[in-house]
Amino acid sequence: MSGHSAPFNLTNHFLIAMPGLEDALFSKSVVYVCEHNSKGALGLVINKPADMDLKALFQKIDLPMQRSDLQGNRVFQGGPVQTERGFVLHEATEVPGADTTKASLYASTMTIPGGLEMTTSKDVLEAIASGSGPRKVLVSLGYSAWAGGQLETELGENSWITVDADQAIIFDTPVEQRYDKALALLGLQAWMISTQAGHA
């Protein structure tokens, strides 16, 4: 496969690990790409649960968890970078009366084209703890990162396949079904994917 001649942007896409990708964290993973440009890419693995739920995480950071709808939600291993930090992927929040293209309710938020936001400041956790905050959230410890050109190289090596992200898979699909559901967006099932490089 020749290299991509024109730049392409995988922001708001899923990276779905091919069977040949045997890295401990990334094997059979689905990564939601929060940002992708010439400098590199940043994303969160959405189907590798950590050994704690949100209630336990909030206890660990001394926040009372008042959202009964979220208490049992798993915390995820978002990737190998900064695994001591929390990253909150959530539906877009609107600041009343503000320019919605620029404003977020929280101190440190990345707005992702396609309707999601990723917040790293503690204020979003405080909002969730108090019973408000975004309704749909995925909390991960750590994130995944690629240097400029690295993700493109991995795609060329048949490590990943890509598809437009579907928020229902992130927020509404049981964890153990997310890999298969992401493949289904491409009309594929796991048994159809060869471990050999090559492109139909």
Side-chain angles (χ1 to χ4, degrees):
M1 177 178 155
S2 61
H4 293 275
S5 53
F8 64 106
N9 189 333
L10 293 175
T11 302
N12 195 40
H13 281 64
F14 288 146
L15 301 176
I16 306 169
M18 292 289 280
L21 187 59
E22 295 177 353
D23 177 275
L25 177 63
F26 290 121
S27 173
K28 286 205 78 175
S29 67
V30 180
V31 180
Y32 175 73
V33 181
C34 301
E35 184 175 49
H36 179 216
N37 54 41
S38 61
K39 296 176 184 175
L42 180 155
L44 301 173
V45 179
I46 64 161
N47 67 328
K48 300 281 180 163
D51 293 328
M52 73 170 76
D53 59 20
L54 284 184
K55 184 176 181 181
L57 175 67
F58 277 65
Q59 286 173 343
K60 195 172 176 181
I61 57 176
D62 296 322
L63 285 175
M65 178 56 145
Q66 296 178 20
R67 287 276 298 273
S68 58
D69 59 318
L70 295 177
Q71 285 189 8
N73 282 21
R74 300 295 296 273
V75 175
F76 288 83
Q77 302 172 59
V81 184
Q82 294 191 3
T83 54
E84 74 290 345
R85 286 191 63 194
F87 298 82
V88 183
L89 184 65
H90 56 88
E91 61 191 349
T93 52
E94 293 186 11
V95 180
D99 178 353
T100 54
T101 59
K102 297 174 186 169
S104 173
L105 288 172
Y106 309 111
S108 182
T109 295
M110 172 191 295
T111 300
I112 304 162
L116 293 180
E117 295 179 347
M118 196 264 288
T119 299
T120 56
S121 46
K122 191 177 179 182
D123 52 357
V124 69
L125 297 177
E126 291 166 345
I128 292 167
S130 71
S132 59
R135 192 171 59 87
K136 295 190 175 192
V137 300
L138 180 143
V139 179
S140 79
L141 296 174
Y143 67 95
S144 304
W146 292 263
Q150 184 183 359
L151 181 55
E152 289 80 354
T153 298
E154 290 183 13
L155 288 164
E157 293 168 347
N158 215 38
S159 295
W160 306 96
I161 50 178
T162 65
V163 66
D164 289 341
D166 180 345
Q167 292 185 26
I169 292 176
I170 299 171
F171 299 119
D172 304 322
T173 301
V175 174
E176 65 278 4
Q177 295 177 22
R178 291 179 187 178
Y179 184 80
D180 289 337
K181 292 278 190 184
L183 282 176
L185 294 173
L186 291 162
L188 296 173
Q189 295 177 34
W191 62 266
M192 299 175 176
I193 306 172
S194 168
T195 56
Q196 304 299 313
H199 303 270

